[in-house]
Amino acid sequence: MSSMRGLVQFIADLRNARARELEEKRINKELANIRQKFKDSNLSGYQKKKYVCKLLYIYILGWNIDFGHLEALNLIASSKFSEKQIGYLAISLLLNENHDLINLVLNSIRKDLNDPNELFNCLALHAIANVGGKEMAESLSSDVHRLLVSPVSKPFVKKKAALTLLRLYRKYQHSVHEEWADRIVSILSDPDLGVVTSVASLVMALAQDKPDLYKKCYSRAVFRLKAILLDRQIQSDYLYYKVPSPWLQVKLMRLLQYYPASDDPDTASGLVDVLQFILDVAAEPSRNVQQSNAQNAVLFEAINLAIHIDVSASLMDRIVSKLGVFISSRETNLRYLGLDAMAHLAARTADLSPIRAHQTTILNSLRDRDISVRRKGLDLLYSMCGYQNAVTIVAELLKYLEVADYAIREDMVIKLAILTEKHATEYKWYIDTILKLISVAGDYVSDEVWQRAVQIVINNEDLQPYAAHTLLQYLKGPTYYEAMVKIGGYVLGEFGHLIADTPGCTPIEQFVALQDKFSSCSAFTKALLLSTYIKFVNLFPEIKPQLVHVFQAYSRSLDSELQQRACEYLILATLPTDDLLRTLCDEMPPFPERTSALLSKIHEKHGRGEDRRTWFIGGKAGAADTEALIEGF
């Protein structure tokens, strides 16, 4: 059966190869014909257009085109729209921002930008937006800006000019000058909603990088939202399933989140009225899926804005109640967005009790069929955890960790380690939880986790005997992870003598527990254990022969690091006196208090993106910690 399938596939491959060969032969013949035609200087504009169209079709099929560019440039200079259109289409497809011919086309584009024919303006704007680059930005951005702010420009030209300027700004930020700020912001009051929608995208990008220059957009955005929603100043063309211009609403509310709440009472009260209206509309049942999607898009952005400006308690209660419905929804997208909005709320509010009322539902999200929902549920649990519910949340997360997807285990381990340290009411619970964490997900435990646990043990004298005893019991077990051997070797090397008189914890039993794992460990862990053994030589002279035997064995290791350590430790262990050994093996001093390296790990995973609205998970205190950490960088 398999041989038959192979034969069928072989025949199919032969047919495809034959078809490709025939296609290549036809393409080469056509290209040769077009090349010959272009050598004829008497070609009419129509003929040039026809042959350039053939070249573009061949290019779209995937074949390389290495001629015809100059003919396309000549078409751009034509006064006929159809020829100019094909010329611009050709340069949009065939040229890129680094092409050598870009400089040749700049003057033609500038001429069309300044032409009174709006269609020529649009063709030039399309080409600039498609090709872009620093050259075009430096040479043509002023002409694009002029079309945008000109009072005689048609709305469809302004829309294209705004989006073209946004494209140039993303490629080269100096293409938009600071003195243009007020004129650009003023277009948010344009009577055409399509123009406002396009300019809102431009202002959003500019305001993120230079918020002070564009701060006047705040009041204009609020005024526009009031006009659309409360005053119903909107054309019927911009009603999407009875929702007034949802895309513009979302953009304006997102723009407002780049700034703090307004000090102007009229602006502030107007914005609250808008948010109240959106919540009222959301309470009404929608008639179809499209209307529901549009309403929910506006609602979620309104919720994020309400959280950002910290609205009144009554309005916030309605928001939390609404989010509670969303996270219980049967629709995956609504569950995800509800959890995301709750995580935003947790990062802004000091009172997490309304969110904790939904703790059971949030815990259930860890078992959602969609991994993005599970990730967002994990972020929210991390944010809402406190002294009151830490034991419950950590226990549930540990239970879930055993069956969690591999894609989120490392993230879960870091968050669990931080929560355990941050909200530990007693040190024994901390040690029990961290060691349970390592025993469940040792392969996903980063070095920062066990190293942080070592620091805490060293810094807390009362914890040291219990930590050493508990670690020894784990090491005696049949199954283990290398992270457990690392932390066990470090802690027993420092504090093993504190439990040496306890039954089952004698020096030889400590050595055997570590040595049983030695051969299957990595070179790094073996080096750490050799350092533990030289400390055992100092602490437990009665097992010195067994330790010296290990040093002798590894003094001939092929690994240079292990060989060097073993040789040096062997010399130290066999010196006539123990004075130097006692000095070198003196107990480690407490570590200085500093920010946990685990927070750095969280920051790497949840760093600030391009959007200035980004909030940090971990609740209000966690967000403050992360902000301080970023400033420290």
Side-chain angles (χ1 to χ4, degrees):
M1 190 68 181
S2 60
S3 60
M4 179 62 71
R5 283 199 298 267
L7 178 61
V8 171
Q9 183 62 45
F10 176 72
I11 295 173
D13 291 341
L14 281 179
R15 288 176 177 174
N16 291 336
R18 179 60 178 166
R20 182 71 175 176
E21 182 181 345
L22 292 174
E23 181 182 347
E24 183 176 3
K25 187 176 180 180
R26 174 65 188 277
I27 291 294
N28 289 334
K29 181 180 178 180
E30 191 65 37
L31 288 175
N33 179 56
I34 296 172
R35 193 187 297 270
Q36 185 62 38
K37 293 292 183 181
F38 281 158
K39 291 181 180 179
D40 185 359
S41 59
N42 295 322
L43 284 179
S44 66
Y46 171 79
Q47 290 173 316
K48 287 183 180 179
K49 180 181 71 171
K50 180 178 72 171
Y51 291 123
V52 169
C53 280
K54 287 187 175 183
L55 284 179
L56 293 180
Y57 182 69
I58 293 172
Y59 176 79
I60 292 171
L61 289 176
W63 300 92
N64 291 326
I65 301 298
D66 56 1
F67 70 96
H69 300 77
L70 292 177
E71 283 72 16
L73 296 181
N74 291 334
L75 286 176
I76 292 176
S78 172
S79 59
K80 293 184 178 180
F81 175 80
S82 60
E83 296 175 8
K84 189 182 291 289
Q85 184 182 36
I86 295 301
Y88 273 119
L89 177 61
I91 69 163
S92 297
L93 287 174
L94 301 179
L95 304 188
N96 58 57
E97 60 185 87
N98 299 316
H99 201 282
D100 295 336
L101 295 178
I102 284 294
N103 288 326
L104 297 180
V105 79
L106 290 179
N107 287 332
S108 296
I109 294 178
R110 181 180 290 108
K111 180 181 177 182
D112 286 332
L113 288 175
N114 295 320
D115 197 285
N117 189 327
E118 292 89 356
L119 296 179
F120 289 0
N121 298 157
C122 292
L123 289 176
L125 291 171
H126 287 164
I128 296 171
N130 283 316
V131 179
K134 184 177 179 180
E135 291 285 342
M136 283 192 173
E138 290 179 335
S139 302
L140 304 174
S141 60
S142 297
D143 297 295
V144 176
H145 172 258
R146 180 188 52 77
L147 284 176
L148 173 62
V149 300
S150 173
V152 297
S153 292
K154 296 291 180 64
F156 66 88
V157 176
K158 286 187 175 183
K159 288 190 287 186
K160 297 179 189 300
L163 297 178
T164 301
L165 198 57
L166 174 59
R167 162 74 169 169
L168 293 178
Y169 178 75
R170 286 174 174 168
K171 280 284 186 179
Y172 182 64
Q173 291 196 355
H174 296 291
S175 59
V176 178
H177 303 299
E178 294 184 356
E179 57 268 22
W180 297 353
D182 290 343
R183 293 292 300 275
I184 292 175
V185 169
S186 67
I187 307 176
L188 289 174
S189 301
D190 194 277
D192 189 283
L193 284 182
V195 173
V196 178
T197 304
S198 299
V199 172
S201 298
L202 174 61
V203 174
M204 282 171 60
L206 297 170
Q208 289 188 72
D209 296 326
K210 301 171 183 176
D212 292 337
L213 281 176
Y214 294 88
K215 60 185 178 182
K216 292 182 180 178
C217 69
Y218 194 97
S219 57
R220 290 182 183 270
V222 174
F223 174 81
R224 199 78 208 206
L225 285 170
K226 287 178 62 180
I228 293 173
L229 294 172
L230 304 182
D231 302 332
R232 306 296 292 182
Q233 296 178 8
I234 184 169
Q235 302 95 322
S236 59
D237 293 345
Y238 289 94
L239 285 174
Y240 179 79
Y241 291 92
K242 298 185 179 181
V243 180
S245 190
W247 297 275
L248 179 56
Q249 289 189 58
V250 168
K251 287 181 180 180
L252 292 178
M253 286 189 286
R254 186 167 297 179
L255 177 60
L256 293 174
Q257 293 173 61
Y258 300 148
Y259 293 92
S262 175
D263 296 330
D264 180 45
D266 293 336
T267 302
S269 63
L271 184 55
V272 171
D273 291 341
V274 167
L275 297 175
Q276 185 77 49
F277 179 84
I278 293 174
L279 288 175
D280 291 340
V281 170
E284 301 173 2
S286 56
R287 297 185 178 181
N288 54 51
V289 175
Q290 288 84 356
Q291 183 180 6
S292 175
N293 289 339
Q295 284 183 349
N296 287 334
V298 173
L299 175 60
F300 277 110
E301 208 59 57
I303 288 173
N304 283 327
L305 178 56
I307 294 169
H308 176 76
I309 64 175
D310 194 15
V311 294
S312 62
S314 59
L315 195 58
M316 193 58 70
D317 288 341
R318 291 186 62 188
I319 288 173
V320 175
S321 176
K322 193 71 177 176
L323 291 178
V325 175
F326 283 134
I327 65 175
S328 304
S329 172
R330 297 177 62 182
E331 294 186 32
T332 302
N333 289 338
L334 290 181
R335 292 197 303 275
Y336 176 87
L337 291 171
L339 292 168
D340 184 61
M342 274 196 173
H344 183 194
L345 177 59
R348 295 282 182 177
T349 183
D351 182 15
L352 295 172
S353 54
I355 300 176
R356 288 172 182 158
H358 303 281
Q359 181 170 305
T360 303
T361 306
I362 298 169
L363 284 169
N364 290 336
S365 69
L366 292 176
R367 293 163 179 81
D368 195 275
R369 62 181 179 273
D370 190 285
I371 189 170
S372 61
V373 175
R374 296 196 293 272
R375 285 185 184 276
K376 194 54 65 176
L378 174 61
D379 288 345
L380 181 52
L381 286 169
Y382 176 73
S383 297
M384 62 185 279
C385 188
Y387 290 104
Q388 304 92 330
N389 59 355
V391 174
T392 303
I393 288 180
V394 169
E396 287 292 331
L397 290 178
L398 276 173
K399 187 187 304 181
Y400 173 66
L401 184 60
E402 299 181 15
V403 295
D405 296 84
Y406 297 119
I408 65 172
R409 282 196 180 184
E410 185 179 358
D411 202 23
M412 284 191 70
V413 168
I414 295 173
K415 289 184 171 69
L416 272 167
I418 293 176
L419 292 178
T420 305
E421 176 187 344
K422 193 173 182 180
H423 303 298
T425 54
E426 57 179 13
Y427 287 120
K428 288 186 177 181
W429 178 78
Y430 169 78
I431 284 295
D432 290 339
T433 305
I434 286 293
L435 296 185
K436 174 69 173 176
L437 174 64
I438 295 175
S439 69
V440 170
D443 288 338
Y444 299 89
V445 175
S446 62
D447 287 341
E448 290 86 354
V449 174
W450 73 264
Q451 288 169 2
R452 182 61 177 172
V454 166
Q455 289 179 18
I456 291 175
V457 171
I458 290 176
N459 287 5
N460 294 274
E461 189 174 344
D462 296 339
L463 182 61
Q464 294 162 2
Y466 181 78
H469 183 272
T470 308
L471 273 164
L472 182 57
Q473 303 313 309
Y474 272 102
L475 290 173
K476 286 183 175 181
T479 59
Y480 68 96
Y481 287 105
E482 195 160 327
M484 188 71 76
V485 180
K486 291 176 183 177
I487 188 174
Y490 201 109
V491 171
L492 290 177
E494 292 293 330
F495 311 112
H497 63 284
L498 299 178
I499 60 171
D501 297 331
T502 306
C505 303
T506 60
I508 190 62
E509 288 176 301
Q510 294 184 37
F511 168 71
V512 169
L514 292 172
Q515 189 61 21
D516 284 346
K517 314 294 188 293
F518 194 99
S519 59
S520 58
C521 291
S522 65
F524 175 85
T525 305
K526 287 179 179 178
L528 186 150
L529 291 179
L530 288 178
S531 298
T532 300
Y533 292 167
I534 193 62
K535 293 178 182 179
F536 278 180
V537 172
N538 180 52
L539 295 173
F540 311 125
E542 61 270 28
I543 62 170
K544 181 175 177 178
Q546 293 91 327
L547 299 168
V548 169
H549 177 72
V550 175
F551 295 147
Q552 289 173 339
Y554 280 89
S555 64
R556 296 181 295 274
S557 173
L558 295 178
D559 187 286
S560 59
E561 172 70 18
L562 293 178
Q563 184 186 103
Q564 182 176 350
R565 287 198 184 209
C567 289
E568 291 176 356
Y569 294 158
L570 180 60
I571 293 172
L572 283 173
T574 55
L575 286 175
T577 65
D578 295 336
D579 296 339
L580 180 59
L581 181 62
R582 283 196 296 269
T583 302
L584 292 176
C585 297
D586 197 14
E587 189 173 304
M588 285 287 291
F591 286 90
E593 289 297 328
R594 59 184 179 183
T595 304
S596 172
L598 295 175
L599 287 177
S600 304
K601 199 80 172 176
I602 285 288
H603 170 63
E604 291 174 11
K605 291 181 172 293
H606 303 277
R608 188 185 296 276
E610 294 180 358
D611 194 337
R612 287 178 61 90
R613 302 176 310 125
T614 300
W615 56 86
F616 296 103
I617 63 170
K620 197 166 185 178
D625 291 342
T626 313
E627 292 281 9
L629 181 63
I630 293 170
E631 292 174 3
F633 287 163

